[in-house]
Amino acid sequence: MKIFKNTVLIALCVGSFSPALAEEDLYNIINDGQVYGEARYRFEHINQDGFAKDASANTVRGTLGFKTGEYKGFQGLAEGSIVRHVGADAFDDTTNGKSQYPVIADPDNEELNQLWLSYGNIPDTSIKLGRQTIELDNQRFVGSHDWRQNDQTFDAIAVSNHSIDDLNLTYAFVGNVNRINGDDHPLGDLDTETHVFHGYYNYENWFDISGYSYLIDAEKASDLSSQTYGIRATGEQPINKVWMLSYEAEFAHQRDYANNSNNYNVEYYHLSPKITGKGITFGAGYELLGSDSNNAFQTPLGSSHAFNGWADQFVTTPDQGLEDIYLTVGYEISDLHDWVDGTEITGTYHHFDGDKSGDFGSEFNLGLTKTIPLENVDRLDDLVLTAKYADYRADDAPYSDKQVFWTQVGVTF
């Protein structure tokens, strides 16, 4: 699928600078466009049993992009990103060979993050061709993996249609997945022939429903090839003038596909109710990634960090499957002081078991986030301050205790 990827990028470059454009048209495309970007610094520290040394990483990410104005229904976007280590590389970034340290998957990287051309003059339809982010539902199955310093993007053609009120239909053919580990990693650039089918219907506030099918044919990693079919419902309903009840419920079935030599059929369940009010959130959840004892439900195109604990012990589902029972509490500070008002505090407890067998331990997560609007600073939007902590306690092998601490500062413009 390298041919597909290169053809897409060449076509975009040629199309974007077509000599048929009049000088006035070209001026309007640029003048109506928007420059945007982000700068993000992160410190991450890991103490993990079984490693000779703790890992510490200071990394910086810079992103710069330009989105053009429209011309006869066409619009383009180009975005580049760069990730750099600051100071000593006292961690395993997945490509530097420093296996004496725990993994912090943020290798030095320069990436053409996005380069796409869209067309929107077909009634109620948009077409996007090129390197792009695709984020569906809660990103459990298809997402950009934005937590790591290098995003996950897709070389794809995506078509979206909303000709029926409240219904949005999406199809995408993905020829390559640009994964978070970068081009120097064996699976950092994943050739695929993947078909994404997704439909979302907004019925009422208390009931939205999605249906999907993801057919993944990974040429170089056949064990990632799978076909997944699922349905997801979300909604919210006021309990009274103060409190709101919300929920998400999802079921999916997965089996082998294309060149995968494993023969398996497994299921996925997720149920999570939540109550919010007075700045407080109480939530609970049950998530099961099923197993047939030899093969487990996998989500290779999803954004995994937000699920099954921040320590990222279960990015790949164990062969025994994974059962995650969790409780979460959140609070947004208000009416104290401008310096702290708006600070969001979240705490989550997870208990992990295998679907068929195994006690995988527990994890506690604590996070603080403060967003500061930079209204009086020219060209800057928001300053986001983040601190997070994950404490994973293992039971059965091969897992080991792991504690992770992050501090992060980011600014957008």
Side-chain angles (χ1 to χ4, degrees):
M1 299 311 297
K2 289 283 189 182
I3 296 176
F4 171 84
K5 179 177 69 173
N6 294 335
T7 301
V8 167
L9 297 181
I10 292 171
L12 281 171
C13 292
V14 172
S16 297
F17 298 99
S18 171
L21 289 176
E23 183 177 343
E24 181 179 355
D25 293 329
L26 183 60
Y27 173 81
N28 290 335
I29 289 172
I30 296 174
N31 191 56
D32 294 341
Q34 178 184 9
V35 176
Y36 65 92
E38 178 193 32
R40 188 165 83 179
Y41 162 78
R42 176 186 296 158
F43 171 74
E44 182 170 349
H45 179 82
I46 300 179
N47 179 315
Q48 186 172 359
D49 288 358
F51 286 88
K53 299 181 179 181
D54 291 355
S56 294
N58 292 275
T59 56
V60 178
R61 179 177 84 173
T63 301
L64 182 65
F66 178 73
K67 187 176 184 180
T68 72
E70 291 192 28
Y71 172 75
K72 296 184 178 180
F74 289 97
Q75 189 170 40
L77 182 145
E79 177 185 289
S81 69
I82 184 170
V83 178
R84 281 292 178 267
H85 304 160
V86 180
D89 294 353
F91 62 102
D92 181 356
D93 70 4
T94 72
T95 64
N96 61 6
K98 296 190 174 184
S99 57
Q100 70 270 36
Y101 296 101
V103 170
I104 297 177
D106 290 321
D108 280 346
N109 190 57
E110 304 87 28
E111 189 83 35
L112 180 61
N113 224 28
Q114 296 193 70
L115 181 63
W116 53 255
L117 185 69
S118 68
Y119 182 68
N121 268 9
I122 301 173
D124 301 315
T125 301
S126 64
I127 303 172
K128 185 183 290 185
L129 174 67
R131 182 165 296 178
Q132 58 193 278
T133 59
I134 302 176
E135 298 176 345
L136 299 175
D137 295 326
N138 61 352
Q139 300 190 50
R140 186 50 162 135
F141 293 96
V142 181
S144 61
H145 220 302
D146 185 55
W147 172 246
R148 299 275 30 128
Q149 296 286 49
N150 185 33
D151 291 336
Q152 177 169 274
T153 60
F154 303 88
D155 297 338
I157 179 169
V159 182
S160 179
N161 178 273
H162 56 275
S163 56
I164 300 175
D165 289 345
D166 301 317
L167 176 65
N168 191 77
L169 301 174
T170 298
Y171 166 76
F173 175 79
V174 179
N176 189 71
V177 184
N178 308 285
R179 307 181 88 193
I180 62 171
N181 306 100
D183 293 339
D184 292 336
H185 192 278
L187 292 179
D189 197 40
L190 188 64
D191 288 345
T192 75
E193 292 185 5
T194 293
H195 300 273
V196 172
F197 300 90
H198 185 272
Y200 169 78
Y201 183 65
N202 174 218
Y203 179 67
E204 295 285 353
N205 287 339
W206 63 271
F207 185 69
D208 299 334
I209 190 167
S210 301
Y212 52 81
S213 174
Y214 306 129
L215 311 179
I216 303 171
D217 181 1
E219 296 182 2
K220 294 182 180 179
S222 61
D223 58 325
L224 298 181
S225 297
S226 63
Q227 50 185 313
T228 303
Y229 307 89
I231 188 168
R232 169 181 168 85
T234 59
E236 60 181 21
Q237 181 69 28
I239 299 173
N240 53 37
K241 293 182 179 180
V242 176
W243 297 96
M244 177 76 73
L245 172 67
S246 62
Y247 72 92
E248 52 182 312
E250 189 164 6
F251 168 78
H253 178 266
Q254 185 178 94
R255 61 166 299 173
D256 55 285
Y257 180 68
N259 59 344
N260 194 335
S261 60
N262 300 314
N263 183 10
Y264 71 99
N265 287 273
V266 293
E267 295 178 339
Y268 171 87
Y269 300 91
H270 187 203
L271 178 64
S272 178
K274 187 180 297 182
I275 297 174
T276 57
K278 297 184 177 181
I280 305 171
T281 299
F282 299 101
Y286 174 82
E287 186 178 32
L288 177 70
L289 295 97
S291 168
D292 64 2
S293 297
N294 295 312
N295 302 278
F297 198 107
Q298 304 291 344
T299 59
L301 304 186
S303 298
S304 57
H305 180 73
F307 305 91
N308 309 136
W310 293 340
D312 290 338
Q313 291 291 75
F314 305 104
V315 172
T316 299
T317 312
D319 289 344
Q320 303 97 313
L322 182 67
E323 179 186 76
D324 180 5
I325 299 173
Y326 60 92
L327 300 172
T328 186
V329 178
Y331 179 64
E332 182 174 341
I333 298 173
S334 61
D335 301 325
L336 285 182
H337 193 281
D338 290 345
W339 288 1
V340 294
D341 285 352
T343 300
E344 298 177 10
I345 306 171
T346 59
T348 304
Y349 174 80
H350 298 264
H351 181 78
F352 304 112
D353 286 309
D355 176 26
K356 297 301 182 183
S357 63
D359 183 351
F360 296 147
S362 61
E363 181 173 331
F364 173 70
N365 298 151
L366 179 65
L368 292 88
T369 302
K370 169 68 173 176
T371 300
I372 304 172
L374 301 176
E375 299 172 350
N376 299 320
V377 182
D378 189 34
R379 298 184 181 275
L380 298 182
D381 296 327
D382 295 322
L383 179 69
V384 182
L385 309 176
T386 304
K388 293 172 58 170
Y389 175 71
D391 186 356
Y392 171 75
R393 301 292 176 172
D395 280 327
D396 292 353
Y399 298 101
S400 59
D401 291 356
K402 180 180 181 182
Q403 293 81 46
V404 192
F405 174 71
W406 301 265
T407 57
Q408 179 174 288
V409 179
V411 63
T412 58
F413 62 89

